[in-house]
Amino acid sequence: MKVYIYDKCSTCRDAVQFLEQRKIQFKTIPIRETPPSLAELKQMLNLYQGNIRKLFNTSGLEYKALGLKDKLPAMDEPEALKLLASNGKLVKRPFVLLDNKNGLVGFKREEWGELFPAGG
């Protein structure tokens, strides 16, 4: 399992610690240097019922600098996905895909607990 993270992100560190506590094997990928692929982004978008905004790091400096709050609603899906695939700073993190039915962006302990139950 791949977990896209940014080392300086406390939320990412919390997610990594969460997985380690549950003894789940995973590989971390630096999201800024190696963003999720277009295929991975499309897969995650499907899991979030087409809500492209969920995949964006809306609190990030890059998001704000590019004025995406105003531009994103007018962007078509292929354009938005291409932007995410080309700039890992824009992707909400951590980003983890397990299969076609399971994946998460961001770290909310309750959601992660459902996907990765303790002792499971």
Side-chain angles (χ1 to χ4, degrees), residues 66-84:
L66 292 173
L68 290 174
K69 178 183 177 190
D70 298 321
K71 293 177 184 174
L72 190 57
M75 236 181 246
D76 65 12
E77 185 178 296
E79 183 182 5
L81 288 171
K82 187 177 176 184
L83 186 60
L84 287 166

Side-chain angles (χ1 to χ4, degrees), residues 3-21 26 28-29 31 48 54 56-60 91-96 104-112 116:
V3 181
Y4 290 89
I5 66 164
Y6 175 54
D7 282 341
K8 294 180 181 164
C9 167
S10 62
T11 305
C12 293
R13 288 193 303 268
D14 290 345
V16 165
Q17 182 181 25
F18 179 91
L19 294 172
E20 288 172 344
Q21 288 171 344
F26 61 96
T28 58
I29 311 274
I31 198 165
Y48 280 92
K54 291 272 190 181
F56 277 86
N57 178 13
T58 57
S59 60
V91 181
K92 187 166 181 85
R93 57 188 185 252
F95 182 105
V96 59
L104 294 167
V105 292
F107 178 69
K108 291 185 180 163
R109 190 169 293 280
E110 308 79 41
E111 289 178 0
W112 283 57
F116 305 106

